[in-house]
Amino acid sequence: MLCVFCLFLCFGGSLVAQNEALIWHFGDSVAVSFASGSPERIAPSSMTSPEGCASICDANGQLLYYTNGGGRISDQSGGQNPGMIWDRNGDLLYDMMGTEGGGFSARQSSIFIPDPAAPSNYYLFTMEEEEFDIGGSVPGQPEGRGLSYFYLDQSLNGGLGGVSLADQRVFTPSFEGLAATPNVNGEGYWIIINGAEENELVVVPLTTAGVGLPQVFPFTQNLGGSIKISPDGQWIAVAGNLIAFDPTNGQPGAVVAELEEVNFLTSSFTPDSRYYYSAKGNFVLGRTIVRYDLSASPIGDSEELIGILSETGISGQMQIGPNGNLYFLDTDLAADDFQLAEIECPSADLPTITPDLVDLNDTDELFFGLPNYVDAIFRDLGTEDTTFLEPSSREICRGESISPRLPGLAYQWSTGDTSFSIQPRNSATYVVTITGACTVTIDSQFVSVDRIPDANIFRTLAAEPFCIGEEVDMTVYSTPLPDSVIWSTGSREDTITTISTPGDTLSVVAYYACGDTTFSFGYPDTNVTVSAEIFYDIEEPLCPGDSINIEILEPNGFFMDVVWFDGTTGPLLRIPSVDSSLTYSATVTGDCDTVFQVFPVLDFSNCPVECMAIAPDLISPNNDGRNDRFRLFTNCELDDYQMLIYNRWGQEVYSSTNPLDNGWDGTRNGEDQPFGTYIYMLRYRFPDREEIEKIDGQFSLIR
């Protein structure tokens, strides 16, 4: 069983450690503490609630408040609890009198959330129950109280806290479901409830400015009942539906999975948000606990049986504990047996269920609820019981492997590798997270990698070229320098003198602490070291008449004398108006008195085309292939095209909106039109322009 419970989370600045869930008050006067790492019964609670409840501690695990979230008017309900808030001593802090707050029979009647603007103070959000009108609805509340909130100021009542603002209505009607998760910037929360319709979710922001306006999100699926949000804020589970959620903007996404026959009262995400657990009925096995892998696709196919429960029992709510395990109520009505059950190591390969961890048989009333929390406070408790090994240092040669100093079930290296061993390429600190059955060990190793460096043979006067027949001094260069060398000439000196002979090869073996490497160098076949490179200073399409500079670059810092075709000297040629009909060239004298020519290539193919359009002055539609039709002639495609042609009496003889048609052939309704003058109107737009072009005029028809 896990026993470390005081890790801190990094989800947002407004969250405290999971110590705020260290003490639970729920059910029929039940209180348990996780101070030892496991839940243990402590002095009875002042509260009795069949379902909804909430309790909260400060960052040190000291109890602050607990509540059943609301209740019913005693006279109307036969003496039922009117809804109360208790202080750390179990004394009544606030009486809701059955007319305020939510309902204790709501599955999630309440939740405490620290004020983003003053984290020592708390908002208490409450949720109405579907049975709110038992004995008659409260006057003025025909649809119940929906989502409401109270504000608790910790400075009141001598530090015991008190309600400074009560029963503020937020959204009505809404029933049963109430959950919350931090926004990503850590400055507030998203509160998620059921909508007025069965297929709606409602998201309410809570920021330093207070409670914001609700936003309603409709779905095609029926939603209702308990709402669970994964600790990382990425998932909503409601009514067997897994819905994507964006904690950045508070927007629910698509329904990713619809899980059949799950008991969404008994459900929870794991602290690492990898799995979703639920109770489920099975025709053969009876009551079972299953889990789904949220990284699977589809998620529904990843169902895994975790355990089988008693056939005569009823399972209640499930909640993450401050030790990273999952807890749920397990009631065997036939045996009159009430227990708090535990799922240990819920994200491990082999989680275990202890159905009778905490005995609750001294209670008198049946109950199904556990305290409701912002589950983000439990985020990443899968790394609980973390052991940090003393950092170590070691030296290896490149290519050797390092491994964790302890075995485990899975490994996560700081390099991203998940294998047991890795081959470090560079000197650095390598950290591996070793996941055991339910524990995590951090192994940090500083590794000094002594590798065989990349080496090469260099001329000692690197700024000079190789010329045929000259004496050159050659040396091996690497970082670090080799411990020793053996040249192909037999020399063991660091630097040797050779003759530059085309086709000859010089090789060397360089020795280092972690091994040796052999490499060679071939002398150039000619005196020309490299061809000249050409640089153009224009990036836009080149067109005749443009101004352009052409420069021959000196790639090795050597040479060079350059003479251009027009007698201009120097590597830079300035052309104020480029001529596409000319061939531009240069004669270059390079190293070792080599001479070669370069021919800069000027590409005019991408020069922009100037779009033009023209209409003819006459047509002669006699089918001789010349001037047979009146149409718009253009060198570009057209948009928003329209052509209208009228005779001298103002009658329309032709119209078209298709720029690709063949134009007017001089007929109307199949009959040749008489010769004479015709009026035309043309409207069109070139694709790269915004304005509509207009051409109006006349032309002659002759036969």
Side-chain angles (χ1 to χ4, degrees):
M1 189 175 303
L2 297 178
C3 61
V4 178
F5 53 84
C6 55
L7 296 180
F8 287 84
L9 304 177
C10 300
F11 197 98
S14 59
L15 284 179
V16 297
Q18 64 274 12
N19 277 349
E20 66 179 16
L22 198 65
I23 298 176
W24 291 8
H25 284 253
F26 60 94
D28 183 10
S29 306
V30 177
V32 299
S33 170
F34 287 81
S36 67
S38 299
E40 297 178 349
R41 295 285 298 271
I42 57 175
S45 173
S46 299
M47 178 182 69
T48 297
S49 177
E51 285 192 77
C53 56
S55 56
I56 196 73
C57 299
D58 62 18
N60 297 317
Q62 181 177 352
L63 181 67
L64 296 177
Y65 315 106
Y66 58 92
T67 182
N68 54 13
R72 302 163 183 167
I73 298 177
S74 296
D75 292 342
Q76 294 181 188
S77 62
Q80 291 186 325
N81 193 293
M84 296 180 180
I85 306 172
W86 290 270
D87 65 19
R88 69 183 61 169
N89 299 321
D91 295 328
L92 178 62
L93 188 70
Y94 190 86
D95 187 347
M96 300 176 184
M97 300 178 293
T99 62
E100 299 179 4
F104 52 62
S105 189
R107 291 183 173 178
Q108 293 167 302
S109 68
S110 48
I111 191 169
F112 289 100
I113 302 178
D115 181 358
S120 62
N121 296 333
Y122 282 83
Y123 285 87
L124 170 62
F125 286 90
T126 60
M127 175 52 59
E128 185 60 278
E129 58 188 17
E130 287 185 327
E131 309 90 343
F132 72 95
D133 55 356
I134 289 179
S137 60
V138 176
Q141 300 175 3
E143 296 183 299
R145 295 181 287 272
L147 177 68
S148 306
Y149 73 87
F150 298 75
Y151 190 83
L152 288 92
D153 187 336
Q154 189 62 33
S155 66
L156 300 178
N157 297 323
L160 291 175
V163 174
S164 60
L165 187 63
D167 200 39
Q168 301 298 298
R169 208 74 65 234
V170 180
F171 186 89
T172 302
S174 180
F175 306 103
E176 301 295 330
L178 171 60
T181 192
N183 59 29
V184 168
N185 63 19
E187 297 178 353
Y189 296 81
W190 305 111
I191 300 157
I192 302 177
I193 61 173
N194 298 309
E197 303 297 331
E198 290 184 351
N199 65 335
E200 293 176 343
L201 288 180
V202 179
V203 179
V204 181
L206 174 63
T207 66
T208 54
V211 180
L213 296 176
Q215 187 174 0
V216 179
F217 296 90
F219 289 81
T220 58
Q221 294 83 358
N222 286 332
L223 309 175
S226 300
I227 299 173
K228 286 286 188 177
I229 307 176
S230 61
D232 65 2
Q234 303 293 319
W235 296 93
I236 300 173
V238 55
N241 299 285
L242 292 177
I243 302 171
F245 184 70
D246 187 346
T248 303
N249 56 25
Q251 302 284 312
V255 174
V256 180
E258 297 181 52
L259 307 178
E260 298 181 356
E261 300 178 358
V262 298
N263 179 354
F264 43 88
L265 172 64
T266 310
S267 69
S268 175
F269 293 94
T270 54
D272 57 7
S273 302
R274 178 181 176 185
Y275 294 102
Y276 174 69
Y277 273 77
S278 179
K280 184 175 182 178
N282 184 287
F283 181 76
V284 177
L285 302 176
R287 286 195 309 140
T288 64
I289 294 293
V290 298
R291 74 177 179 184
Y292 299 87
D293 189 342
L294 300 181
S295 65
S297 180
I299 293 174
D301 290 350
S302 69
E303 180 182 301
E304 179 184 2
L305 177 65
I306 301 301
I308 302 172
L309 306 177
S310 66
E311 296 182 1
T312 58
I314 299 175
S315 52
Q317 288 184 354
M318 183 179 290
Q319 176 61 50
I320 303 173
N323 55 13
N325 294 336
L326 303 184
Y327 295 89
F328 65 95
L329 293 168
D330 191 37
T331 301
D332 190 333
L333 296 178
D336 196 24
D337 187 31
F338 301 87
Q339 302 290 336
L340 179 65
E342 178 187 60
I343 304 175
E344 188 178 3
C345 307
S347 293
D349 291 341
L350 297 174
T352 57
I353 299 179
T354 304
D356 54 355
L357 182 72
V358 178
D359 190 326
L360 305 176
N361 283 319
D362 58 338
T363 57
D364 297 324
E365 302 293 334
L366 188 64
F367 57 89
F368 300 97
L370 293 175
N372 191 19
Y373 290 102
V374 178
D375 279 352
I377 65 173
F378 307 111
R379 187 181 185 187
D380 294 332
L381 283 184
T383 61
E384 197 165 290
D385 272 354
T386 301
T387 300
F388 291 86
L389 300 182
E390 188 71 24
S392 68
S393 298
R394 58 188 302 189
E395 295 182 359
I396 66 171
C397 290
R398 189 171 185 178
E400 293 181 351
S401 298
I402 64 171
S403 304
R405 287 179 283 172
L406 289 177
L409 299 176
Y411 309 93
Q412 181 65 57
W413 292 89
S414 52
T415 60
D417 291 295
T418 56
S419 56
F420 177 71
S421 300
I422 63 171
Q423 289 185 348
R425 296 184 58 84
N426 301 296
S427 298
T429 298
Y430 293 84
V431 180
V432 58
T433 301
I434 309 165
T435 303
C438 195
T439 59
V440 169
T441 302
I442 306 298
D443 182 8
S444 179
Q445 305 178 36
F446 176 76
V447 180
S448 177
V449 180
D450 190 356
R451 64 183 180 86
I452 301 174
D454 296 328
N456 211 334
I457 301 174
F458 282 92
R459 182 175 183 176
T460 56
L461 298 176
E464 295 184 3
F466 286 97
C467 294
I468 296 174
E470 71 170 341
E471 287 189 350
V472 291
D473 291 335
M474 307 296 288
T475 189
V476 174
Y477 177 79
S478 65
T479 303
L481 292 173
D483 296 333
S484 62
V485 297
I486 300 179
W487 295 90
S488 54
T489 62
S491 174
R492 295 177 178 269
E493 299 295 327
D494 293 337
T495 301
I496 63 172
T497 301
T498 64
I499 302 297
S500 177
T501 305
D504 276 4
T505 299
L506 181 66
S507 62
V508 67
V509 181
Y511 295 90
Y512 302 90
C514 282
D516 58 77
T517 182
T518 301
F519 49 95
S520 60
F521 172 83
Y523 292 100
D525 290 337
T526 70
N527 286 335
V528 180
T529 55
V530 293
S531 298
E533 297 182 39
I534 301 171
F535 172 75
Y536 306 94
D537 70 342
I538 188 167
E539 296 181 359
E540 300 177 352
L542 181 64
C543 295
D546 285 348
S547 173
I548 183 176
N549 294 329
I550 305 175
E551 185 177 4
I552 297 179
L553 304 178
E554 301 178 356
N556 279 351
F558 308 136
F559 64 82
M560 59 178 54
D561 294 328
V562 179
V563 180
W564 294 93
F565 70 102
D566 59 356
T568 303
T569 61
L572 179 64
L573 177 65
R574 302 182 187 275
I575 307 175
S577 179
V578 69
D579 187 342
S580 60
S581 64
L582 292 179
T583 299
Y584 295 88
S585 65
T587 300
V588 180
T589 301
D591 305 322
C592 304
D593 297 324
T594 56
V595 178
F596 54 98
Q597 284 191 305
V598 293
F599 297 89
V601 178
L602 303 182
D603 184 6
F604 298 95
S605 61
N606 293 322
C607 183
V609 176
E610 182 178 358
C611 293
M612 298 182 294
I614 189 171
D617 295 329
L618 62 85
I619 64 172
S620 56
N622 54 10
N623 295 321
D624 64 354
R626 296 183 300 172
N627 301 324
D628 287 332
R629 293 175 177 269
F630 180 86
R631 64 186 182 88
L632 184 66
F633 294 90
T634 179
N635 60 340
C636 295
E637 295 182 357
L638 300 176
D639 292 332
D640 301 327
Y641 174 83
Q642 184 182 31
M643 180 170 69
L644 297 172
I645 301 176
Y646 302 89
N647 60 23
R648 69 181 65 183
W649 296 283
Q651 297 173 315
E652 181 182 305
V653 297
Y654 183 77
S655 66
S656 176
T657 58
N658 181 7
L660 300 178
D661 70 3
N662 292 325
W664 186 48
D665 62 358
T667 65
R668 183 184 182 195
N669 298 326
E671 296 183 2
D672 291 339
Q673 295 300 292
F675 69 88
T677 301
Y678 289 81
I679 307 300
Y680 66 85
M681 298 175 60
L682 285 165
R683 303 290 184 267
Y684 58 90
R685 182 175 62 82
F686 292 119
D688 60 345
R689 302 179 189 174
E690 295 184 359
E691 297 83 5
I692 298 292
E693 307 283 345
K694 301 178 181 179
I695 302 179
D696 299 335
Q698 62 184 28
F699 65 92
S700 298
L701 186 151
I702 61 175
R703 295 189 183 277

